[in-house]
Amino acid sequence: MADLGLVGLDDSGPDADPAVITGYRAARNRPLTRGQKLSDKALAAVRAPVEHGFAHLKSWRVLGKVRSDPKWATALVRALLS
């Protein structure tokens, strides 16, 4: 699930399962339908906890200084959370 910055990645066809799920973007001459607005709202509700988690992790200064293998960063985060 992605934000509207990745809209072009979900154009795999009407019958195929998309690899990236994005919302709908309105144009000046084409406002969103009620169904599209509800779909965008549901997508935002699913994405909100993840975005809040990323924002919380970014606020930890120690993670900005990690310059090693990512598996060590994962171990560091687990140690911080326990």
Side-chain angles (χ1 to χ4, degrees):
M1 293 186 205
D3 61 3
L4 290 178
L6 300 172
V7 165
L9 293 178
D10 63 347
D11 294 335
S12 59
D15 296 331
D17 291 331
V20 178
I21 299 172
T22 60
Y24 294 96
R25 185 180 289 177
R28 288 184 185 187
N29 58 352
R30 186 187 48 84
L32 295 179
T33 64
R34 185 168 189 257
Q36 290 171 330
K37 287 180 184 178
L38 288 172
S39 175
D40 280 353
K41 191 172 184 175
L43 182 64
V46 171
R47 290 190 63 227
V50 176
E51 294 294 334
H52 291 162
F54 284 143
H56 185 70
L57 285 175
K58 287 180 181 180
S59 70
W60 292 356
R61 292 179 140 193
V62 68
L63 294 179
K65 299 184 185 322
V66 174
R67 301 281 187 257
S68 63
D69 191 358
K71 71 178 179 179
W72 297 114
T74 303
L76 177 63
V77 170
R78 285 185 179 152
L80 290 169
L81 291 174
S82 61

